[in-house]
Amino acid sequence: MDEIEAKIQSLRKELEQYNYNYYVLSAPTVSDREFDEKMKELEVLENTYPEYFDPDSPTQRVGSDLTKEFLQVEHKYPMLSLGNTYSEDDVRDFYERTARALNEPFEIVAELKYDGVSISLIYKNGRLSQAVTRGDGVRGDDVTANIRTIRSIPLKLHGMDFPDDVEIRGEVLLPWSEFDRLNKEREEQEEPLFANPRNAASGTLKQQNPAIVAERKLDAYLYYVLGENLPSDTHYGNLEAARKWGLKIPDVIRICHSLQDIFDYIKYWDVERKNLPVATDGIVLKVNSLRQQRNLGYTAKSPRWAIAYKFQAERARTPLNSVSFQVGRTGAVTPVANLEPVLLAGTVVKRASLHNADIIAGLDLHIGDQVYVEKGGEIIPKIVGVDVDARTSALGEKVQFIKNCPECNTPLYRPEGEAAHYCPNESGCPPQIKGRIEHFTTRRAMNINIGPETVEDMYDAGLIRNVADLYDLTMSDLLSLDRWAEKSARNFLESLQESKKVPFERVLYGLGIRYVGETVAKRLAYVFHSIDQLREASMEKLTETNEIGSRIAESVVKYFADSRNIEIIERLKAHGLQMEITAEVLAGRSDKLKGQTIVISGTFSKHSRDEYKDIIEQYGGKNTGSVSKKTSFILAGENMGPAKLEKAAKLGVRIVSEEEFLKMLEE
Ligand code: IVH
């Protein structure tokens, strides 16, 4: 082996060890800066000497090629589920049943039940060869490329004494902190929020772009070893061996010798689990001896040697007063339960989401029912059931999903494969019209100086029906409205004039074309340059564009196929709005910040924070909210928060002032 190869190998080994210490043991042994420097050194060597490429190198965890379609793989051992129980009595039954069936001493291993997405990792000769989701239990999706980005999953097992062919099962989880960060980001981007970390983890695993998966910081906790030549004849022993192979086996598993041991474990973790970094929803109990497991065997769906005990979510009972249906800007109709206010996990709950028609039907809800409300891992409380015994003979009216729009009476439709109902009357349904106008005026779109109530007033007075009508408003129109004086009217007219300077990409975003958020609008503007060229673009042309999928493309094509939209655009054009990208913006776009992840903090004097966000994007960089190891530098204005400063210092992240930053771009 030559010197270079030896150096590369030793760096890989060292970095793997650091990763393991950090992600599996949660006990970092080097500073992040040192880690990053070593990683950089390895990257440079690997790029210079591609002959030493290794797919399992720590440099390869950032995500590889796009996955077109996940391959279906048959599980060697089916992935079964567990019987659920909810009470101590059920646990006692399980214990006694097991004792009777075995008729000899036995041990029970108690573990936490992690609330994520189950995964099976297949290691062949110590290398991660395949990672498969549960799917229907018999066959699942091959998500290996995505799983390889999870730092706590070793690409190579440690040591020598692992079987040639071994399967390790466990749960992929998105830690609470990452879940919160991700949802905050989505809120800013006007993307739908994830209801809980499990949905977020599952959505992430199905991403076709492993690079996005790598950014989301998934974790994996493992709890089951399967194979022909296992090192131990107990479940516990095999988990201990797997821990030595470098896998992340939770250290909270316990061997229980009695029912009392089990109850103590449950009681302790019912409280303590709230301090864990990931979501758990119960306890899993497993017979420890593999021989005894075989003796007990399986039912059609689940093993007889294991059971899940689910924690009681915080729950309250309260009467259902009514159900209302809200229509959003996109026409989606959301059912909302109006409840008699009730205290739940420290807050008063008055409303709960009912999600969609299927959920309502499944609950068999009647007005006046005593319903159970739960706050589990969800953000919005949800109704999980009805106290049927509390029903009196005077049963209230059955709750039905409405057939017609509550606002415009148009029959609703439900697109195939979607759970939601929509009102199709885009151009005639008041909340949709008002919602679109409101969206158009928001700060990050046209920044026109009015709030939702004003839009409502103008609409009710019959002054506006679409965004182009705003530009036809006159002083006397405005003065005809309640609470308007000349001064406010003049301010408004001025901000209308100002809005004509708003760059094309923001106008495009403001139009509110479905699925065209800020980022997509920018991309479309940069690629197609003008509204006319975008209007001419075919499905093929659109989907050729980076990160524009068929869903967005279809929506764009549909928008321009509607003559009413064309009329609005022509009127906006005539009023002088920017309908093409300026040469300045096009020229200003460079790759100077390519690959850089930048956090903005503090207040600035030369540009606003939003402008800096745009500048970073224009120069090919990426703006993120929180400081992490990945942050390239912090663009810091005045009064940067102390928490961020401290974190930056700890991670060794560079701080760049406003002046330095602007100079950087000029160079
Ligand atoms: S053991 C045959 N252990 O719960 C037994 N499962 O309904 C295989 N889960 O699909 C599962 N934590 O996704 C096991 N400590 C744990 C678990 C666990 C979470 C999930 C798993 C499984 C489901 C069972």
Side-chain angles (χ1 to χ4, degrees):
M1 196 189 316
D2 73 6
E3 212 174 298
I4 304 278
E5 189 180 2
K7 178 73 195 165
I8 288 180
Q9 301 237 350
S10 100
L11 273 171
R12 281 178 186 159
K13 225 179 176 144
E14 205 178 334
L15 284 160
E16 258 158 36
Q17 184 66 39
Y18 295 153
N19 256 339
Y20 173 74
N21 295 344
Y22 188 97
Y23 292 104
V24 179
L25 303 181
S26 307
T29 46
V30 282
S31 73
D32 292 327
R33 165 167 272 181
E34 211 172 314
F35 180 89
D36 289 343
E37 279 166 8
K38 290 245 157 79
M39 186 67 98
K40 196 98 241 153
E41 189 182 349
L42 177 58
E43 265 167 26
V44 170
L45 283 173
E46 286 182 348
N47 286 338
T48 327
Y49 303 96
E51 61 270 36
Y52 302 126
F53 173 80
D54 178 352
D56 294 341
S57 166
T59 55
Q60 301 304 306
R61 297 256 200 187
V62 288
S64 53
D65 296 345
L66 291 190
T67 316
K68 287 245 156 45
E69 205 178 343
F70 296 112
L71 281 182
Q72 289 258 310
V73 181
E74 188 154 343
H75 293 295
K76 185 164 168 195
Y77 311 92
M79 278 180 94
L80 300 174
S81 65
L82 294 171
N84 281 333
T85 67
Y86 297 89
S87 70
E88 291 205 344
D89 281 348
D90 292 342
V91 171
R92 190 189 311 272
D93 282 352
F94 166 74
Y95 195 83
E96 286 169 358
R97 199 165 56 231
T98 307
R100 271 198 308 276
L102 289 173
N103 202 19
E104 61 176 347
F106 63 98
E107 293 170 336
I108 293 285
V109 178
E111 306 171 5
L112 283 173
K113 185 170 188 311
Y114 295 95
D115 193 10
V117 181
S118 38
I119 193 77
S120 195
L121 308 174
I122 298 155
Y123 286 89
K124 295 234 159 99
N125 299 315
R127 287 178 168 247
L128 176 63
S129 78
Q130 209 170 34
V132 187
T133 63
R134 186 183 136 100
D136 61 5
V138 178
R139 42 181 62 240
D141 288 336
D142 181 335
V143 289
T144 316
N146 286 345
I147 288 294
R148 292 173 71 88
T149 69
I150 302 177
R151 304 294 207 277
S152 57
I153 294 181
L155 302 177
K156 279 186 248 165
L157 296 181
H158 301 185
M160 307 288 280
D161 56 347
F162 41 76
D164 298 343
D165 199 341
V166 66
E167 218 170 307
I168 325 262
R169 292 191 178 162
E171 210 80 356
V172 172
L173 298 148
L174 192 73
W176 286 111
S177 57
E178 272 298 300
F179 169 70
D180 292 340
R181 189 190 59 74
L182 186 62
N183 259 353
K184 212 179 264 164
E185 217 171 87
R186 291 172 77 87
E187 199 169 359
E188 277 173 21
Q189 308 282 341
E190 291 188 36
E191 285 176 80
L193 302 190
F194 288 119
N196 53 45
R198 181 178 11 91
N199 290 356
S202 144
T204 303
L205 267 195
K206 287 188 197 132
Q207 278 282 335
Q208 285 166 321
N209 184 351
I212 295 180
V213 183
E215 277 170 18
R216 295 220 185 139
K217 310 222 175 63
L218 291 169
D219 202 348
Y221 288 43
L222 303 162
Y223 46 65
Y224 193 24
V225 186
L226 281 147
E228 309 285 309
N229 300 305
L230 299 183
S232 167
D233 55 13
T234 65
H235 170 64
Y236 192 87
N238 285 321
L239 288 183
E240 282 203 306
R243 186 180 288 127
K244 295 210 183 82
W245 303 334
L247 293 152
K248 189 161 178 167
I249 310 290
D251 51 16
V252 303
I253 50 177
R254 289 289 173 272
I255 297 181
C256 298
H257 293 97
S258 67
L259 249 180
Q260 193 53 48
D261 283 355
I262 296 174
F263 289 150
D264 289 347
Y265 188 86
I266 291 179
K267 201 162 152 210
Y268 177 80
W269 282 109
D270 199 359
V271 178
E272 215 37 53
R273 70 192 181 102
K274 294 183 180 124
N275 301 320
L276 295 172
V278 293
T280 54
D281 61 347
I283 300 284
V284 178
L285 302 170
K286 301 173 184 169
V287 169
N288 194 18
S289 151
L290 301 192
R291 177 183 58 79
Q292 290 178 338
Q293 285 187 4
R294 279 190 298 273
N295 285 343
L296 289 164
Y298 297 81
T299 69
K301 279 186 298 191
S302 51
R304 285 204 184 83
W305 45 264
I307 201 164
Y309 166 84
K310 299 263 253 182
F311 293 125
Q312 191 67 251
E314 294 193 67
R315 171 185 278 211
R317 203 186 72 150
T318 191
L320 172 70
N321 288 337
S322 63
V323 173
S324 33
F325 293 86
Q326 294 175 346
V327 184
R329 159 162 78 92
T330 58
V333 180
T334 326
V336 179
N338 301 303
L339 307 166
E340 195 60 31
V342 62
L343 196 65
L344 177 61
T347 52
V348 176
V349 175
K350 294 186 208 129
R351 291 148 65 80
S353 171
L354 282 169
H355 302 286
N356 56 52
D358 294 344
I359 302 258
I360 293 184
L363 285 166
D364 183 33
L365 274 188
H366 290 72
I367 301 296
D369 270 345
Q370 291 279 352
V371 295
Y372 293 110
V373 199
E374 257 185 24
K375 222 185 214 169
E378 325 276 322
I379 323 171
I380 306 165
K382 65 173 179 189
I383 293 181
V384 292
V386 175
D387 183 355
V388 184
D389 296 336
R391 277 183 183 161
T392 59
S393 52
L395 189 60
E397 193 189 328
K398 187 172 161 71
V399 178
Q400 305 269 17
F401 203 91
I402 44 174
K403 299 243 172 335
N404 293 57
C405 177
E407 304 277 348
C408 70
N409 209 32
T410 306
L412 302 178
Y413 77 104
R414 180 179 178 168
E416 217 180 285
E418 270 195 55
H421 281 78
Y422 289 86
C423 167
N425 184 14
E426 276 167 41
S427 56
C429 180
Q432 296 189 57
I433 300 172
K434 287 186 272 189
R436 276 198 305 273
I437 301 177
E438 240 172 76
H439 168 75
F440 183 77
T441 63
T442 51
R443 201 171 45 90
R444 294 193 61 84
M446 303 306 286
N447 194 21
I448 296 168
N449 208 351
I450 42 169
E453 304 81 33
T454 315
V455 172
E456 182 111 30
D457 288 348
M458 290 175 171
Y459 179 87
D460 290 345
L463 292 175
I464 52 173
R465 286 291 175 269
N466 60 50
V467 296
D469 292 342
L470 285 169
Y471 293 90
D472 289 336
L473 289 172
T474 63
M475 186 59 121
S476 67
D477 286 338
L478 297 169
L479 292 179
S480 74
L481 291 167
D482 277 354
R483 297 188 304 273
W484 278 72
E486 229 183 281
K487 185 159 185 276
S488 45
R490 200 167 307 122
N491 277 343
F492 170 73
L493 290 173
E494 251 167 48
S495 90
L496 268 186
Q497 287 306 317
E498 270 304 297
S499 78
K500 294 180 183 173
K501 296 185 201 144
V502 163
F504 172 54
E505 58 276 17
R506 274 171 54 192
V507 178
L508 186 56
Y509 165 62
L511 291 177
I513 304 172
R514 210 154 165 226
Y515 308 125
V516 180
E518 273 186 281
T519 320
V520 172
K522 270 184 200 150
R523 184 135 299 137
L524 290 173
Y526 289 138
V527 173
F528 293 96
H529 297 187
S530 72
I531 199 93
D532 291 335
Q533 287 184 57
L534 182 60
R535 182 182 160 186
E536 299 300 317
S538 61
M539 263 310 272
E540 293 70 45
K541 193 96 197 149
L542 283 161
T543 43
E544 268 168 26
T545 309
N546 212 355
E547 278 173 55
I548 306 290
S550 57
R551 189 183 63 150
I552 300 174
E554 255 167 45
S555 166
V556 171
V557 169
K558 187 169 158 235
Y559 179 87
F560 286 107
D562 189 330
S563 60
R564 287 168 297 199
N565 292 331
I566 302 298
E567 193 207 314
I568 292 170
I569 288 170
E570 290 306 327
R571 282 174 61 202
L572 292 175
K573 237 193 232 168
H575 278 293
L577 274 72
Q578 304 296 316
M579 290 296 177
E580 47 191 82
I581 200 158
T582 58
E584 217 177 330
V585 173
L586 265 185
R589 206 171 140 68
S590 83
D591 283 343
K592 234 168 220 170
L593 297 176
K594 190 169 173 196
Q596 309 248 42
T597 303
I598 301 158
V599 171
I600 305 180
S601 184
T603 51
F604 299 90
S605 51
K606 302 238 162 57
H607 295 276
S608 71
R609 273 173 87 100
D610 283 344
E611 281 166 3
Y612 276 119
K613 269 193 192 172
D614 291 343
I615 292 174
I616 289 172
E617 272 195 27
Q618 264 178 38
Y619 283 82
K622 200 176 131 200
N623 168 239
T624 56
S626 59
V627 182
S628 75
K629 278 192 357 183
K630 281 232 199 91
T631 309
S632 314
F633 63 85
I634 298 177
L635 168 56
E638 297 291 317
N639 305 322
M640 177 173 159
K644 267 197 184 140
L645 257 179
E646 196 180 306
K647 190 143 185 222
K650 214 174 104 206
L651 297 177
V653 174
R654 193 156 61 102
I655 310 261
V656 172
S657 73
E658 192 173 5
E659 285 72 29
E660 281 176 281
F661 179 71
L662 292 172
K663 212 184 269 159
M664 211 156 124
L665 300 182
E666 275 166 25
E667 269 161 18

